[in-house]
Amino acid sequence: MELGLASLGALPPAPALAGWLTRHSLSPWLKIQNHIYSMPSLSYKVPSVTECHASLSTNYMETSEVVDLDWENLGFGLVETDFMYVAKCGPDGNFSKGEILPFGPIAVSPSAGVLNYGQGLFEGLKAYRKTDGSIMLFRPEENATRMITGAERMCMPAPTVEQFVDAVKQTVLANKRWVPPTGKGSLYIRPLLMGSGAVLGLAPAPEYTFIIFVSPVGNYFKEGLSPINLIVEDKFHRASPGGTGGVKTIGNYASVLKAQKIAKGKGYSDVLYLDAVHDKYLEEVSSCNIFVVKDNVISTPAIKGTILPGITRKSIIEVAQSKGFKVEERLVSVDELVNADEVFCTGTAVVVSPVGSITYLGKRVEYGNQGVGVISQQLYKSLTSLQMGLVEDCMGWTVQLNQ
């Protein structure tokens, strides 16, 4: 079938084409953000349903610089953008050259390894817009390395660091109009690696798919930089020694939903988990790491296989040390929360989130009279200023994109 289309990039596979055509106007003119763009004709042959890949798209549709959104009230929820990145890996363990495709549903077998046995990983990182309009990434090679580590644990092949970073760059540039203005949020980037091949018996999948999609986001917690309220979980555990708590596998997150739902139903922001062996040492919150401050000494649970090695966690430790703070990575007892001066969480989504109170076994401990702690605020400002390009990057962590 031949279609007279504009340069809209590669089209989706045939099963998803109908829905995609519905979402995209195919008139001779495309109106976006009150600008009119001419659409020269392009003959495109729809691939058969048996083809694994569409043609590589290297030219992205030109649109207005920034999409018209209510940036002031941008929360942390999915906003569908224009394009996604897709690459496949077969039994040889080598990933194909990826493609930029229109964002939309993907076809996957009901017997895919990710659906039946949870063979999947994901990452999270952000792109920021500087005051001069340019776009920066923050430590993407760290996410690539962590995905490689997680893939090894889950018996999956993974893209190389170079492939990962290049794919992130392509995806962000294809969706650059969705990067929020400086100080209004960021473009959240979600790389996803999954066993997409069909499998019935328990075994690694024969095929893997690497996808990256993006969404503009604001604050993860509705409180923003205002303190959040946590409850220590005393019935459920997030991870156990020898398990997968130290890698970013998808199953780690589904297992915290029940405790999180109960906590939010009681008015708490999230759940703080203890270790599964002694039930007394802090591990992490549902999706972020935890820090405790006492007498200007910053302590955080040591990475020992049950705690995710957060990239924001690592960055905060290095920023704090560069400012002269003593940072300890060790076993942190739940009892230390009683006398702490400050408590805060870190993560890609939350960046730095101060904790206003923690409830444990019915007893509530409050910090800083419900205000943002001095050290929490200092570290938040230092890290976000670096991420947004407001200060010189002496750490060498940011990657500027050539637009």
Side-chain angles (χ1 to χ4, degrees):
M1 178 173 63
E2 298 287 324
L3 298 176
L5 303 179
S7 51
L8 297 175
L11 293 179
L17 183 58
W20 186 83
L21 293 177
T22 301
R23 293 194 295 116
H24 294 76
S25 171
L26 294 180
S27 62
W29 300 90
L30 176 64
K31 185 175 182 181
I32 301 176
Q33 296 296 96
N34 299 319
H35 296 283
I36 302 295
Y37 296 87
S38 176
M39 298 176 64
S41 63
L42 170 69
S43 181
Y44 178 85
K45 185 176 181 180
V46 177
S48 70
V49 296
T50 59
E51 291 176 332
C52 295
H53 309 294
S55 301
L56 177 64
S57 174
T58 56
N59 296 316
Y60 309 130
M61 180 173 59
E62 290 296 325
T63 60
S64 56
E65 284 302 312
V66 180
V67 73
D68 184 17
L69 285 181
D70 182 4
W71 301 113
E72 299 295 335
N73 297 299
L74 188 62
F76 198 93
L78 178 65
V79 176
E80 292 191 3
T81 54
D82 298 322
F83 299 101
M84 62 184 182
Y85 176 95
V86 180
K88 298 279 189 178
C89 177
D92 63 357
N94 296 317
F95 280 85
S96 64
K97 187 175 182 180
E99 312 168 294
I100 294 294
L101 301 174
F103 178 84
I106 60 173
V108 63
S109 169
S111 60
V114 66
L115 299 181
N116 290 264
Y117 300 117
Q119 197 181 23
L121 296 163
F122 73 91
E123 279 295 328
L125 63 159
K126 289 178 176 178
Y128 298 84
R129 190 179 296 277
K130 297 174 62 176
T131 53
D132 64 3
S134 62
I135 299 172
M136 293 198 317
L137 302 175
F138 184 71
R139 310 192 79 172
E141 73 288 341
E142 292 286 339
N143 295 89
T145 300
R146 188 169 66 180
M147 176 167 276
I148 291 172
T149 300
E152 193 279 330
R153 175 65 178 84
M154 301 298 291
C155 283
M156 306 168 71
T160 65
V161 172
E162 293 74 20
Q163 288 173 323
F164 182 102
V165 174
D166 180 66
V168 168
K169 290 179 179 178
Q170 288 188 52
T171 311
V172 171
L173 289 175
N175 294 284
K176 64 183 180 181
R177 73 190 188 109
W178 297 91
V179 182
T182 306
K184 303 299 182 182
S186 57
L187 187 71
Y188 186 83
I189 307 162
R190 172 57 59 84
L192 174 64
L193 179 63
M194 62 180 181
S196 52
V199 61
L200 185 59
L202 180 57
E207 178 192 80
Y208 297 87
T209 301
F210 178 50
I211 296 175
I212 303 178
F213 65 91
V214 298
S215 176
V217 297
N219 293 317
Y220 182 78
F221 290 117
K222 60 180 176 58
E223 295 89 346
L225 191 59
S226 299
I228 62 173
N229 301 300
L230 301 177
I231 183 170
V232 178
E233 179 55 52
D234 59 354
K235 294 183 178 64
F236 300 105
H237 292 98
R238 176 189 168 275
S240 59
T244 58
V247 298
K248 207 167 176 66
T249 182
I250 57 179
N252 289 349
Y253 296 84
S255 64
V256 306
L257 295 177
K258 183 176 179 65
Q260 187 183 64
K261 181 178 180 180
I262 293 172
K264 289 187 175 183
K266 295 179 179 179
Y268 298 102
S269 307
D270 214 327
V271 175
L272 174 57
Y273 289 92
L274 301 178
D275 75 289
V277 177
H278 305 285
D279 256 343
K280 65 176 291 187
Y281 297 110
L282 306 184
E283 294 231 313
E284 62 178 273
V285 183
S286 299
S287 59
C288 41
N289 296 112
I290 191 85
F291 286 78
V292 177
V293 182
K294 179 64 177 177
D295 297 330
N296 282 343
V297 176
I298 304 171
S299 301
T300 189
I303 300 297
K304 51 184 176 59
T306 56
I307 299 172
L308 185 73
I311 294 161
T312 308
R313 172 190 182 276
K314 180 179 180 179
S315 302
I316 283 292
I317 289 174
E318 295 178 39
V319 168
Q321 290 173 333
S322 73
K323 293 186 173 299
F325 288 104
K326 180 180 180 181
V327 181
E328 298 178 341
E329 297 181 72
R330 59 177 176 83
L331 291 174
V332 181
S333 170
V334 66
D335 298 327
E336 296 182 47
L337 296 174
V338 176
N339 298 314
D341 299 325
E342 294 180 42
V343 178
F344 61 89
C345 302
T346 65
T348 298
V350 304
V351 188
V352 174
S353 186
V355 176
S357 74
I358 295 181
T359 300
Y360 177 49
L361 298 178
K363 296 181 180 180
R364 179 185 176 102
V365 179
E366 297 186 351
Y367 306 100
N369 296 316
Q370 287 292 296
V372 179
V374 175
I375 293 178
S376 305
Q377 190 169 29
Q378 182 179 354
L379 294 177
Y380 173 83
K381 182 177 181 181
S382 296
L383 185 60
T384 55
S385 295
L386 195 157
Q387 290 175 328
M388 292 186 287
L390 301 177
V391 297
E392 183 181 358
D393 179 13
C394 298
M395 300 290 200
W397 289 344
T398 57
V399 177
Q400 185 149 335
L401 301 186
N402 296 320
Q403 302 181 58

